[in-house]
Amino acid sequence: MKTENGEMLFEKTECGVPYKIHTQTIEREAKDWQDVLDHVSEMFDDADEFVTLTLGEARHNIRYVQAARKMRGDQIIVQLGIEDDKYTRLVEKLCGEEECVEIFWEFYSSSNVSDLDKYKPVKF
């Protein structure tokens, strides 16, 4: 559903495992942090790759973090799936590889992401 200001709202995502990793080639339960880090690192080297980490329990209303390399340049687009009562909305920001890894680590270890005010709504 598209809102008046151009934001897209998506149905809430269900995740039946503690951590799910999703890329171009796989969608399965993440084994551990190293498994997640390996897939994030692979995404850095492949302009066509993305990686999504989804939590079974969204304790801070953040259901997932996803990232992909920006079409031009060396920046990474990081998006968060923020849940409310009925929908999930996407917010995003640009960052470098090191910050991207830090975002995924914080989300993996605490289900939180710092500095949410630096993320802007994704508009379609």
Side-chain angles (χ1 to χ4, degrees):
M1 177 174 84
K2 193 172 188 175
T3 66
E4 290 177 7
N5 65 2
E7 271 187 275
M8 288 294 295
L9 300 177
F10 299 92
E11 289 185 25
K12 291 173 84 171
T13 302
E14 297 292 326
C15 180
V17 296
Y19 304 97
K20 181 172 67 174
I21 190 91
H22 184 195
T23 70
Q24 291 278 21
T25 56
I26 62 149
E27 185 172 3
R28 62 167 171 74
E29 184 172 4
K31 299 172 192 161
D32 53 22
W33 166 244
Q34 188 61 51
D35 188 26
V36 174
L37 181 58
D38 289 346
H39 289 290
V40 171
S41 297
E42 288 173 18
M43 179 266 303
F44 292 153
D45 295 328
D46 184 347
D48 295 325
E49 187 62 270
F50 70 90
V51 62
T52 303
L53 178 62
T54 305
L55 297 185
E57 182 182 342
R59 292 187 302 233
H60 299 281
N61 294 340
I62 305 170
R63 176 61 66 185
Y64 57 86
V65 173
Q66 59 189 18
R69 184 165 291 288
K70 190 174 178 195
M71 293 294 273
R72 295 181 188 89
D74 59 354
Q75 291 188 307
I76 307 297
I77 300 169
V78 175
Q79 297 179 330
L80 309 177
I82 310 287
E83 291 186 342
D84 64 18
D85 290 336
K86 294 182 182 179
Y87 299 104
T88 299
R89 64 184 174 88
L90 282 179
V91 295
E92 70 182 2
K93 75 172 192 172
L94 294 174
C95 66
E97 292 178 4
E98 184 177 327
E99 185 179 3
C100 180
V101 169
E102 291 169 359
I103 291 166
F104 271 83
W105 167 246
E106 181 181 15
F107 186 63
Y108 179 86
S109 63
S110 72
S111 77
N112 197 23
V113 174
S114 298
D115 301 323
L116 287 178
D117 59 318
K118 293 183 180 177
Y119 291 79
K120 303 300 177 207
V122 175
K123 297 191 179 186
F124 292 88

